[in-house]
Amino acid sequence: MKKLSVVSYLFISILLGGGLVSCKNEEKSKQLPDTSISKKDETNRSGISLNAESSLPSNDTHKQEKSSPEIITGIYQDSDSLYHLRYILEKGKTYSFNSREINKQTVTFRDKSQSVSQESIDPISFTVLDIKNDIYTLQVSMGGKKVITKADGKVVVFDTNGKKPENPDQAKLWKIYRAISNVTFTLTMDIYGNASNIKGMDAIYEKAKSTLKSELKGKELEDFINAFKLGLNPETFKAQFEGSIMKFPSKGLKIGEKWNSHPELKDQGYNQLVKVGDSLTEVRIQGTLPSKTDSKVVEGITYKLSVKGTQSGKIIINNKSGWISNANFTMTVTETKSASKGDETEKVVQKSVNNTYIN
């Protein structure tokens, strides 16, 4: 849960139109595979049930004493000697997916540059409520939001655990985030990371609505809540969740192997299984964002646009659970705009560097 808090940065940009949080490039994806891997009738790929607490007792007590139980882990090698990934979570345990995102934008025009930096902190956690037939019921908790913006020598802090902002639009958003940080919802996830059955978001909508009903009335309130729902709903959360956690191809992977499950991005990026240690596994992320160029002539003036970018990162997976232990990603996007007529040319270059840290 490109990239990635799992959902909060998505609907904050919809609500404010980029007023509080700078717009994110739509191509930000971390190149993580999103193919759905079906559960194999309550057995893992080795044919061993992940739910069976014990097998039938053997009549051969001598063999029973010598045998040792198989240790079931998230990262494992099958009979094919390839590495596979499944999620082995513990009931009652909480797994965090906290994100810290630092974005710096620099605009250069006529040899003068101006920069704006923004740091966004989004805590989110998943608590295992139940496990049945290799299906986890997870309780999702969003722990508020903090955004620190620095520009023109000034620092502006948006913190749901701090003082309410003076800006009216930010104050509304502050009240919503503060209110819903105490509201949870649930989802189910199979052992291969496929999410479904997201419930409880209506309580979040009602909480947001009741929080603002003293400030907004009638259609204005409804429009605000509908915009809120565009960013936070079961469909968008499922997409963000499955795009943020790690999945391996169902065939398995060997050390050093690269993969990308997005055919349209086949030549633009990849994941690579770098190494599998005793307790941690490392995956490398590398890619280029689709380039964009455009040119047109209006009233004798030639306008040109060029956009290019790269992304890279590293994901560390806990071998026991399959959950992401920590990760970091860097995305750099350079946008160049120019206008020329005859021998005269003006050019503006905007460079954005986004660093994201998980857990």
Side-chain angles (χ1 to χ4, degrees), residues 81-115:
S81 297
L82 299 178
Y83 289 97
H84 299 267
L85 169 64
R86 62 196 171 196
Y87 287 89
I88 306 298
L89 309 183
E90 299 177 35
K91 185 175 181 179
K93 189 170 181 178
T94 298
Y95 297 84
S96 63
F97 202 91
N98 304 318
S99 70
R100 176 171 167 256
E101 195 168 338
I102 302 174
N103 181 275
K104 183 177 181 180
Q105 293 188 355
T106 302
V107 177
T108 302
F109 177 62
R110 293 181 178 176
D111 298 325
K112 292 184 179 180
S113 298
Q114 185 175 14
S115 297

Side-chain angles (χ1 to χ4, degrees), residues 155-216:
V155 178
V156 178
V157 178
F158 176 98
D159 186 358
T160 52
N161 294 317
K163 183 181 177 181
K164 183 170 73 172
E166 295 180 0
N167 179 285
D169 290 331
Q170 292 189 14
K172 292 185 184 73
L173 201 62
W174 180 88
K175 290 181 70 174
I176 289 179
Y177 272 111
R178 189 178 177 91
I180 69 174
S181 64
N182 297 318
V183 182
T184 62
F185 59 96
T186 63
L187 65 84
T188 57
M189 181 189 81
D190 67 21
I191 60 174
Y192 301 114
N194 302 307
S196 61
N197 202 25
I198 299 174
K199 295 181 177 179
M201 284 194 173
D202 285 342
I204 294 178
Y205 304 149
E206 288 302 316
K207 188 73 172 181
K209 190 173 183 178
S210 64
T211 299
L212 295 178
K213 65 181 180 181
S214 62
E215 301 178 39
L216 301 175

Side-chain angles (χ1 to χ4, degrees), residues 29-33 260 262 265 268-269 271 285-288 311:
S29 66
K30 298 196 297 295
Q31 307 279 355
L32 298 185
N260 189 330
H262 300 275
L265 300 176
Q268 296 172 340
N271 303 323
I285 309 296
Q286 193 72 41
T288 58
Q311 56 183 351

